[in-house]
Amino acid sequence: MSSPLSLLFLGTGTSTGVPVIGCSCPVCRSGDSRNARLRSSVLLRTERTTLLVDSCPDLRQQALRYGLTAVDAVVYTHAHLDHVTGFDDLRAFCWKHDVSWRLPFYAGPETMESLERMFPWAFNESRAFKGYIRPEPHVHGGLPFCVGDVAAVPFRVEHADAETFGYVFEHGGVRIGYACDVKSIPPDSKEMLRDLDVLVLDGLRFAEHPTHSSVGESLELMRELEPKLGVLTHMGHDVDYAETSARLPGGVVLAYDGMMLDVE
Ligand SMILES: [Zn+2]
Ligand SMILES: [Zn+2]
Ligand SMILES: [Zn+2]
């Protein structure tokens, strides 16, 4: 029997995180820990493989909170700051290794270019000092790739002007789709999202937003794509966990920081 594919939500908040600095709204002041949201990131794990999706600005806190000390690869959705600026904390996953070791990065071409522009020292081979992050860039160009015993199938989504990919992660017959920042999903990509065990989508807020799908728009996508379980993430302070959860249709839940799904 194969091991499960587990999905740990390291963070489930939009770019501001929740609570929002200076805000005293009920969600920001809430005593419900499920309303406290670090910036969005997930960890996919099998018995053999650990795969981090994005390096958000809260990566240090997330690694400490969840005992994350090693990753086999980092997979990037896009280069918005709330998904990349924890980059330097990835050093912690390199410095136990020999200086010749590289941390595999998987990203679309524009995202990889942005990373190289933002963090040029890390990509400069002549400066590959021990203690620095030492990436091994893999530009996936939208084609499937494998990390250990996890297969990843990128799919394009519409989100602001940034090249943005979601991913279907597969292991032992289990398929988990993840698209945390998405306004809409093109028809070609939708075809790849049928018969998923879990589909994770953007659930920023209730009102429509120009670059993120609202809770209502994501629920519509869930109805159309019919995953066994739908999960909303990347939420702002409009979304109260308990109040919103009570109104969701069957088969759809809100993510919260620390939520773990073991899918077999
Ligand atoms: Zn984001
Ligand atoms: Zn607030
Ligand atoms: Zn974004």
Side-chain angles (χ1 to χ4, degrees):
M1 219 178 90
S2 69
S3 63
L5 178 58
S6 78
L7 175 66
L8 172 63
F9 287 84
L10 300 173
T12 59
T14 187
S15 58
T16 55
V18 181
V20 176
I21 294 171
C23 185
S24 55
C25 80
V27 173
C28 286
R29 284 187 295 109
S30 165
D32 185 339
S33 62
R34 296 167 302 183
N35 281 328
R37 301 176 178 126
L38 298 177
R39 267 60 72 90
S40 287
S41 179
V42 289
L43 197 69
L44 277 297
R45 252 198 294 229
T46 68
E47 263 173 14
R48 275 180 43 202
T49 306
T50 300
L51 205 156
L52 176 67
V53 180
D54 294 332
S55 56
C56 83
D58 296 319
L59 176 57
R60 176 177 173 275
Q61 277 193 70
Q62 293 165 339
L64 292 171
R65 187 182 287 180
Y66 301 108
L68 181 59
T69 56
V71 301
D72 295 306
V74 186
V75 177
Y76 282 99
T77 57
H78 65 308
H80 281 167
L81 294 183
D82 56 322
H83 297 265
V84 303
T85 51
F87 184 92
D88 219 30
D89 290 325
L90 295 171
R91 283 176 300 166
F93 309 130
C94 295
W95 60 46
K96 281 190 202 146
H97 295 273
D98 188 82
V99 73
S100 62
W101 188 82
R102 297 287 178 272
L103 174 59
F105 276 19
Y106 292 86
E110 288 175 31
T111 302
M112 196 69 83
E113 258 181 54
S114 297
L115 291 170
E116 289 175 8
R117 203 170 48 245
M118 294 166 83
F119 311 108
W121 68 89
F123 291 86
N124 182 344
E125 274 296 316
S126 66
R127 291 172 55 81
F129 300 124
K130 196 164 170 65
Y132 275 30
I133 170 160
R134 299 183 300 275
E136 178 184 84
H138 297 265
V139 176
H140 60 55
L143 296 173
F145 57 92
C146 284
V147 178
D149 56 1
V150 178
V153 185
F155 59 92
R156 246 175 213 286
V157 298
E158 298 299 330
H159 169 59
D161 290 332
E163 169 201 78
T164 305
F165 284 96
Y167 294 90
V168 175
F169 297 103
E170 304 183 6
H171 167 78
V174 167
R175 296 172 71 232
I176 295 176
Y178 182 78
C180 53
D181 289 53
V182 50
K183 175 61 187 176
S184 63
I185 303 180
D188 288 2
S189 298
K190 277 186 186 167
E191 284 315 305
M192 297 155 65
L193 302 178
R194 310 274 172 197
D195 304 316
L196 291 174
D197 293 282
V198 179
L199 175 58
V200 184
L201 291 178
D202 197 330
L204 178 73
R205 66 184 195 188
F206 298 100
E208 283 195 17
H209 185 280
T211 64
H212 290 272
S213 81
S214 63
V215 171
E217 287 168 328
S218 286
L219 289 178
E220 188 53 49
L221 282 166
M222 295 292 187
R223 265 192 293 278
E224 185 185 344
L225 298 170
E226 297 182 305
K228 288 193 187 117
L229 178 67
V231 182
L232 301 184
T233 190
H234 205 284
M235 291 162 286
H237 61 158
D238 293 347
V239 182
D240 178 83
Y241 181 86
E243 258 179 52
T244 309
S245 294
R247 288 163 37 201
L248 291 177
V252 182
V253 298
L254 297 185
Y256 55 87
D257 290 19
M259 181 167 100
M260 175 137 106
L261 301 172
D262 274 323
V263 192
E264 288 190 77

